Amino acid sequence: LQVTGDKVMIHIYQMNDTSWIGPYHEVNVKFGAELRGKCIGSYSPYLFLSSDVGVTHGREIHGQPKKLGNPSLEYQGDLIVGKLERNSIDVLTGTLPYKQHEAEISELSEIFPFSTNINLKAVDHIDGSPAIRQLTSRSLADVKVTECWRGPSTTELRPNAQAPIHRLPVLEMLDGFYWQAEFSLVPGEVLLDYLQEDK
């Protein structure tokens, strides 16, 4: 798996109607990645959800590094404020002016194709030996974007040993995006099975 580019996206989602799971919030930290000849998308080193069911499903089925946290997305006057709290510490705060400049979702996708998520699924046997070592991918399907806005944004990161997003320091802020959409979460696929490759 190869990193593509030098940009990191932080998505703060408000999932209003998720089948089986219900409403929840999610913070997804991702950067561009490619498995040459097979898949181009994004890799997530950090994922935090307010849903214990969502954490379990994402980790056990897809191998996503999900942890329980307290993400939020609020509208405070003319400002959109996204936060992540874990261990009673505000780990991340992002701000974006409320709906200032209309945009197209393709402007965000140009950074890297974020709608396909690539994950390392690693599960051990009871004795600690490797049971599963796979690169998996999962893409959003049936995406219908209803609105998209962009503008100057800010990001503040605070150290937390259990949520070390601060390891990816902010060197330069790019525009932020606010968008609403409907999409389907579909089953993914195994891109590479390391244990089969070794046989």
Side-chain angles (χ1 to χ4, degrees):
L1 189 66
Q2 177 181 352
V3 175
T4 58
D6 58 357
K7 295 180 176 64
V8 175
M9 283 188 197
I10 300 175
H11 279 185
I12 303 173
Y13 294 109
Q14 180 175 315
M15 308 288 273
N16 293 322
D17 185 18
T18 309
S19 299
W20 298 95
I21 298 175
Y24 67 92
H25 286 81
E26 175 176 332
V27 169
N28 188 346
V29 180
K30 56 181 75 173
F31 52 80
E34 176 182 4
L35 182 60
R36 193 165 294 164
K38 290 194 175 181
C39 186
I40 300 174
S42 64
Y43 181 84
S44 301
Y46 306 111
L47 270 164
F48 300 92
L49 277 75
S50 60
S51 164
D52 57 347
V53 178
V55 168
T56 303
H57 180 82
R59 291 180 69 92
E60 294 186 3
I61 304 301
H62 299 282
Q64 295 170 317
K66 292 188 174 183
K67 287 187 175 184
L68 198 62
N70 187 24
S72 64
L73 189 63
E74 300 175 351
Y75 309 98
Q76 299 183 6
D78 60 353
L79 192 67
I80 302 170
V81 181
K83 292 184 179 181
L84 169 62
E85 179 264 344
R86 181 170 160 84
N87 312 107
S88 299
I89 296 170
D90 285 336
V91 177
L92 178 151
T93 300
T95 69
L96 175 70
Y98 188 83
K99 296 187 179 182
Q100 284 198 352
H101 305 288
E102 285 193 77
E104 299 291 333
I105 197 69
S106 59
E107 298 171 40
L108 181 57
S109 300
E110 286 172 1
I111 299 172
F112 54 77
F114 65 88
S115 61
T116 295
N117 196 226
I118 303 170
N119 305 284
L120 173 62
K121 183 174 182 178
V123 179
D124 290 340
H125 287 296
I126 191 70
D127 63 0
S129 62
I132 299 173
R133 293 291 186 274
Q134 298 172 338
L135 279 180
T136 67
S137 76
R138 187 184 195 192
S139 297
L140 304 182
D142 307 319
V143 180
K144 298 174 184 173
V145 178
T146 55
E147 59 179 313
C148 183
W149 305 81
R150 73 182 294 172
S153 63
T154 67
T155 302
E156 182 181 1
L157 305 176
R158 298 174 193 85
N160 181 320
Q162 291 291 355
I165 301 174
H166 66 284
R167 289 175 168 176
L168 302 169
V170 179
L171 302 179
E172 178 186 2
M173 283 300 309
L174 303 178
D175 278 357
F177 287 79
Y178 170 82
W179 53 284
Q180 293 191 26
E182 294 181 3
F183 55 82
S184 300
L185 293 173
V186 296
E189 63 174 320
V190 176
L191 299 173
L192 179 64
D193 190 320
Y194 290 103
L195 299 184
Q196 292 296 323
E197 291 280 316
D198 292 341
K199 292 182 180 179

